């Protein structure tokens, strides 16, 4: 290896460190405060069915309609589809959700579960520009 090779390697290493170091030293991403209330808004056939606060305690929510049956399981400040009699069972692939704007959808049974945060935490509109 020649002198130019070492210079090129040094430049590449310095560039890589310049990109990586701010990521390591920067502020850690902030998780929502555990005291901030989150809710699961459950809709059936496009109409509100129930709103459930996501808590540590376990809750079972059964939804029975003429299209089918779904069972939701609330635990550890999140919610998941535990049982569904739909033929495709895609609603199980969403898994356990806990963050605002995550959803679980069961199309055959027309069940929608969406996580929303408490609006008193400052998610209001700052300004309107006309």
């Amino acid at each position: 290896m020649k002198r130019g090779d070492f210079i090129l390697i040094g430049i590449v290493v310095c560039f890589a460190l310049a990109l990586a170091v701010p990521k390591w030293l920067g502020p850690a991403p902030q998780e929502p405060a555990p005291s901030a209330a989150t809710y699961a808004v459950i809709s059936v056939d496009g109409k509100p069915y129930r709103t459930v606060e996501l808590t540590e305690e376990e809750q079972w929510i059964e939804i029975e309609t003429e299209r089918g049956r779904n069972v939701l399981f609330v635990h550890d400040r999140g919610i998941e589809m535990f049982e569904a009699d739909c033929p495709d069972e895609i609603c199980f692939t969403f898994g356990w959700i806990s963050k605002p704007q995550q959803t679980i959808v069961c199309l055959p049974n027309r069940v929608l579960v969406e996580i929303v945060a408490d609006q008193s935490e400052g998610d209001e509109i700052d300004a309107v520009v006309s």
Side-chain angles (χ1 to χ4, degrees), residues 3-128:
R3 182 176 174 197
D5 294 333
F6 287 115
I7 292 173
L8 181 63
I9 291 171
I11 290 172
V12 169
V13 168
C14 288
F15 183 71
L17 286 175
L19 293 175
V21 168
K23 189 175 186 179
W24 292 331
L25 298 178
Q30 294 182 355
E31 290 290 325
S35 62
T38 53
Y39 299 91
V41 178
I42 304 166
S43 303
V44 177
D45 204 17
K47 297 176 184 127
Y49 178 77
R50 188 169 168 190
T51 300
V52 180
E53 184 175 359
L54 301 178
T55 61
E56 292 288 331
E57 64 187 49
E58 296 181 355
Q59 299 177 47
W60 295 91
I61 301 164
E62 294 186 32
I63 303 168
E64 292 207 31
T65 64
E66 64 274 357
R67 290 188 171 81
R69 180 174 184 267
N70 295 77
V71 177
L72 297 164
F73 182 41
V74 177
H75 62 97
D76 300 326
R77 297 195 182 278
I79 190 168
E80 65 180 312
M81 186 70 68
F82 186 78
E83 185 180 322
D85 60 0
C86 55
D88 57 5
E89 296 185 347
I90 292 177
C91 50
F92 292 115
T93 62
F94 293 95
W96 177 80
I97 60 173
S98 63
K99 295 182 181 169
Q101 310 218 347
Q102 289 182 319
T103 59
I104 298 173
V105 180
C106 182
L107 284 178
N109 295 349
R110 296 188 182 178
V111 174
L112 170 69
V113 180
E114 182 178 13
I115 305 294
V116 295
D118 190 10
Q119 292 298 324
S120 64
E121 292 295 319
D123 285 341
E124 297 117 18
I125 297 173
D126 291 335
V128 177

